[in-house]
């Protein structure tokens, strides 16, 4: 992890921002060097900078990750004006102990044979870099910022923006 003493604090805020967002967009590079994104539901976000997802072990995204492990995760929470972009490296794993730990009954929708299905895989994303935008989410704060900007010519406070290098 980066030696910056604020890194752990910023990582904690980032994790807090994404822990309740149900869906992230996962971007990989396909065999034609084109970016592909698809929605994914995170099963666990760890304070050590690891994010876990279920995936088909033999899926297209698994093949793409085996060719190029660099991925991006994008999170959006417009109701709270929170946005996060995470760059990292992905691993496709078949770890039955971790599958058992993360499994919930809703996963049968994608894996009808259950958690022992040999096609049940895990994606472990290790965060390399991240950036987040945490804008003021109150209508009054936005209105005040716009009025202040109109009167003074100063840009309104767009909230907190941090880059994190792990």
């Amino acid at each position: 992890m980066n030696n910056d003493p604020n890194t752990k604090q910023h990582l904690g805020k980032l994790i807090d921002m994404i822990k309740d967002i149900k869906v992230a967009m996962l971007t990989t590079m396909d065999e034609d060097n084109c970016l592909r994104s698809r929605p994914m539901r995170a099963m666990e976000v760890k304070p050590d900078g690891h994010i876990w997802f279920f995936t088909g072990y033999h899926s297209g995204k698994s093949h793409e990750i085996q060719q190029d492990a660099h991925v991006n995760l994008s999170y959006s929470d417009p109701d709270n004006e929170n946005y996060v972009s995470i760059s990292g490296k992905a691993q496709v794993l078949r770890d039955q102990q971790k599958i058992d730990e993360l499994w919930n009954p809703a996963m049968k929708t994608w894996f009808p044979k259950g958690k022992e299905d040999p096609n049940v895989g895990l994606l472990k994303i290790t965060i390399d870099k991240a950036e987040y935008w945490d804008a003021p989410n109150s209508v009054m704060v936005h209105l005040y910022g716009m009025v202040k900007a109109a009167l003074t010519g100063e840009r309104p406070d767009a909230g907190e923006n941090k880059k994190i290098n792990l």
Side-chain angles (χ1 to χ4, degrees):
M1 190 174 283
N2 184 332
N3 291 330
D4 178 351
N6 294 319
T7 298
K8 189 173 182 177
Q9 175 188 348
H10 296 312
L11 180 60
K13 177 161 183 170
L14 175 119
I15 290 169
D16 193 50
M17 289 174 70
I18 66 174
K19 69 180 171 48
D20 294 325
I21 298 176
K22 301 289 186 226
V23 177
M25 293 298 291
L26 170 72
T27 303
T28 58
M29 183 81 71
D30 73 10
E31 64 277 352
D32 295 329
N33 293 323
C34 289
L35 298 174
R36 293 201 53 228
S37 297
R38 80 275 293 151
M40 300 286 291
R41 182 176 296 269
M43 300 311 295
E44 183 176 61
V45 180
K46 301 286 280 183
D48 61 3
H50 294 117
I51 304 171
W52 292 87
F53 298 88
F54 278 104
T55 188
Y57 190 73
H58 302 289
S59 68
K61 81 178 97 41
S62 296
H63 175 73
E64 291 166 5
I65 288 167
Q66 289 168 349
Q67 300 304 309
D68 185 344
H70 295 90
V71 297
N72 180 269
L73 293 169
S74 298
Y75 292 84
S76 176
D77 180 7
D79 290 341
N80 292 307
E81 294 289 332
N82 293 329
Y83 305 93
V84 175
S85 177
I86 295 172
S87 299
K89 294 202 180 57
Q91 293 176 276
V92 180
L93 306 168
R94 177 89 181 104
D95 178 338
Q96 192 62 50
Q97 182 178 347
K98 191 69 174 176
I99 290 169
D100 290 344
E101 176 188 329
L102 297 176
W103 187 264
N104 70 54
M107 296 313 301
K108 282 197 96 163
T109 302
W110 290 277
F111 302 102
K113 295 179 185 175
K115 61 185 177 181
E116 285 77 25
D117 182 342
N119 192 43
V120 175
L122 294 169
L123 283 183
K124 177 184 179 185
I125 311 292
T126 302
I127 300 172
D128 289 331
K129 295 181 179 184
E131 186 168 5
Y132 65 78
W133 298 263
D134 181 11
N137 60 6
S138 147
V139 173
M140 291 307 293
V141 170
H142 280 295
L143 288 174
Y144 171 76
M146 288 190 300
V147 169
K148 180 181 174 189
L151 293 174
T152 66
E154 295 177 18
R155 291 182 63 170
D157 177 12
E160 186 178 13
N161 172 234
K162 292 285 182 216
K163 292 182 181 180
I164 305 168
N165 295 312
L166 296 182

